[in-house]
Amino acid sequence: MSNDTIPEVPEVTDSDVFITRAFEAPREVVWNFFTRPELVALWFGPKEVHVDPASVIIELKVGGRWELDMVDNVTGERYPMRSTLVVVTPPEYLEGAAEALPGSGPQNDLRLRIWFHDHGAKTRLTIHQGPFTPEFRDMTCLGWESSFAKIDELLASGIA
Amino acid sequence: MKPFGYENWKVMHMPTDTLSPVFSALADPTRRAILLRLMDGDASVSELGAPFDMSQPAISKHLRVLESAGLISRSRVATARYSHLEAKPLEQANEWMQQYKQFWNESLDKLDTALADYLNSERGKERA
């Protein structure tokens, strides 16, 4: 994928692998919250963790690093996130390749793709995370939710 | 959902050479339908092909993809080959997806608050 290619947001965005949400902030500000270390440190990670501000390294260019350590609020255990930026198109689109395990190097198909759209006075974020094999990249994600719901039932019932 | 911790972090860093074949196999609607059928029990190639307007070799090809992804195992009974659902890879793929969903939903809740605080303090600076 070349530097200036922004993939279309797939039509089906309410499936498991897509998350979309609107924020009460201008697009440039939301973009900065993903790309400026001191701002990323304010929010990234689930509620049980915080970001060690000193651990954030963001080199905002193709091939640049996007790295930080999340720290468990209770135990202090560190959870490193290591990725390489693949596409950087401010303030519209950001794509990164994550390392499967820190030190293992970026994996081509473990991608995070983030679209930033104007949505009236708000900004709409669409996040797509997945192993993007060619088949997976092109598929519409209809059918997953129901398939997985059934699988959950099956596993819960102890059949499999 | 469990609170975020080392186990969740580990799931998110699952090597994709395990997951990719599973997601590729699941990307096809016929193969998903075959898996759903196998949840009701083991089945032969002709039983699996019955709902589809598809030749037996075409069905067999789908079964080989599912088998190489570890999603089914196959055994021979007399002249028929029976397919059996292997749930482990599905469970892993599902866990992986649910993990990311929870991770981002919780992160974006925090982003929402952080943005509001930031914009409020910027407005405060303008007024001052």
Side-chain angles (χ1 to χ4, degrees):
Chain A
M1 192 181 289
S2 73
N3 181 19
D4 46 13
T5 309
I6 302 176
E8 291 292 311
V9 179
E11 273 180 34
V12 181
T13 54
D14 58 352
S15 167
D16 278 2
V17 285
F18 290 95
I19 290 169
T20 180
R21 202 188 301 191
F23 293 90
E24 301 271 359
R27 188 153 58 132
E28 285 73 17
V29 174
V30 179
W31 171 266
N32 289 342
F33 270 72
F34 279 84
T35 53
R36 289 201 186 157
E38 73 280 11
L39 296 178
V40 173
L42 294 174
W43 65 273
F44 190 86
K47 53 179 182 274
E48 293 83 3
V49 303
H50 63 275
V51 173
D52 171 6
S55 71
V56 188
I57 300 170
I58 298 176
E59 301 163 344
L60 200 58
K61 59 180 183 190
V62 174
R65 290 187 288 167
W66 194 102
E67 304 185 351
L68 55 78
D69 288 357
M70 297 180 295
V71 181
D72 193 300
N73 293 337
V74 177
T75 65
E77 194 166 359
R78 298 178 84 86
Y79 310 115
M81 308 292 285
R82 299 287 179 264
S83 53
T84 302
L85 294 173
V86 180
V87 185
V88 179
T89 313
E92 285 178 67
Y93 181 71
L94 199 57
E95 179 168 332
E99 296 185 2
L101 289 169
S104 66
Q107 302 229 345
N108 287 333
D109 51 1
L110 185 52
R111 291 291 175 98
L112 173 65
R113 311 198 285 179
I114 307 171
W115 292 263
F116 302 75
H117 289 291
D118 287 330
H119 190 75
K122 300 181 185 183
T123 302
R124 176 161 290 282
L125 268 188
T126 303
I127 294 178
H128 185 194
Q129 179 112 38
F132 300 126
T133 58
E135 297 89 339
F136 190 71
R137 197 183 297 128
D138 299 336
M139 75 185 272
T140 60
C141 293
L142 280 171
W144 280 66
E145 195 94 53
S146 62
S147 300
F148 278 122
K150 278 202 174 188
I151 291 160
D152 272 347
E153 275 171 37
L154 183 79
L155 294 168
S157 68
I159 294 166
Chain B
M1 270 288 168
K2 287 173 294 212
F4 188 83
Y6 178 71
E7 284 308 311
N8 312 69
W9 178 86
K10 215 169 62 176
V11 168
M12 293 180 68
H13 289 81
M14 206 182 282
T16 50
D17 50 1
T18 327
L19 284 173
S20 283
V22 176
F23 282 112
S24 289
L26 290 171
D28 181 272
T30 305
R31 291 198 286 268
R32 287 204 298 272
I34 290 172
L35 291 176
L36 289 175
R37 163 63 186 85
L38 288 174
M39 288 180 187
D40 299 330
D42 296 359
S44 67
V45 180
S46 55
E47 284 166 342
L48 289 173
F52 306 102
D53 185 17
M54 220 179 263
S55 68
Q56 201 146 315
I59 294 293
S60 291
K61 202 175 158 193
H62 282 305
L63 294 176
R64 280 196 295 276
V65 175
L66 290 170
E67 188 175 30
S68 65
L71 286 163
I72 64 168
S73 57
R74 293 199 283 173
S75 57
R76 195 176 284 279
V77 178
T79 56
R81 288 197 82 180
Y82 279 83
S83 296
H84 173 78
L85 182 71
E86 297 291 341
K88 192 72 191 164
L90 283 174
E91 190 183 13
Q92 278 186 344
N94 189 28
E95 200 185 356
W96 188 89
M97 289 178 65
Q98 294 303 328
Q99 188 56 59
Y100 268 103
K101 198 177 181 180
Q102 185 191 5
F103 183 95
W104 279 110
N105 280 330
E106 291 186 14
S107 287
L108 295 181
D109 287 344
K110 286 162 71 180
L111 174 60
D112 203 31
T113 309
L115 281 168
D117 291 349
Y118 175 84
L119 292 172
N120 278 333
S121 88
E122 290 295 299
R123 279 185 210 113
K125 276 182 212 161
E126 276 167 29
R127 271 186 230 111

